[in-house]
Amino acid sequence: ICNAGYADAAICIENIEHHPEQKLDREQTQHRASCTYPKKVHNHIVLEVTGIGKTYLTGGLDMSASRSFYSA
């Protein structure tokens, strides 16, 4: 994780706030953080309006993957 070069190493999936305007399902977020998608060779594409938290979400997913010993 130290060598990954994350812009903010404090980003983690556990810190994501689920606001109604984001339309982000907490259960889906936690499922994606479990890192089952690399094993199934699934990718994620995140599309949403500006300022909704796409970068933070993907950073949290990257950190989860790194914790599970995947490269992100």
Side-chain angles (χ1 to χ4, degrees), residues 7-32:
D8 184 356
I11 292 176
C12 66
I13 208 76
E14 295 83 7
N15 290 341
I16 292 177
E17 298 176 2
H18 294 79
H19 299 287
E21 64 271 9
Q22 292 174 313
K23 300 177 186 165
L24 185 61
D25 186 308
R26 183 180 304 272
E27 194 172 304
Q28 284 185 358
T29 304
Q30 294 301 321
H31 173 70
R32 284 166 175 71

Side-chain angles (χ1 to χ4, degrees), residues 6-63:
Y6 292 116
D8 184 356
I11 292 176
C12 66
I13 208 76
E14 295 83 7
N15 290 341
I16 292 177
E17 298 176 2
H18 294 79
H19 299 287
E21 64 271 9
Q22 292 174 313
K23 300 177 186 165
L24 185 61
D25 186 308
R26 183 180 304 272
E27 194 172 304
Q28 284 185 358
T29 304
Q30 294 301 321
H31 173 70
R32 284 166 175 71
S34 69
C35 293
T36 57
Y37 61 94
K39 297 172 193 168
K40 296 178 182 178
V41 193
H42 290 166
N43 296 312
H44 289 115
I45 298 174
V46 181
L47 302 172
E48 194 53 72
V49 298
T50 302
I52 207 74
K54 297 179 297 292
T55 301
Y56 198 89
L57 173 64
T58 56
L61 292 173
D62 287 348
M63 186 61 75

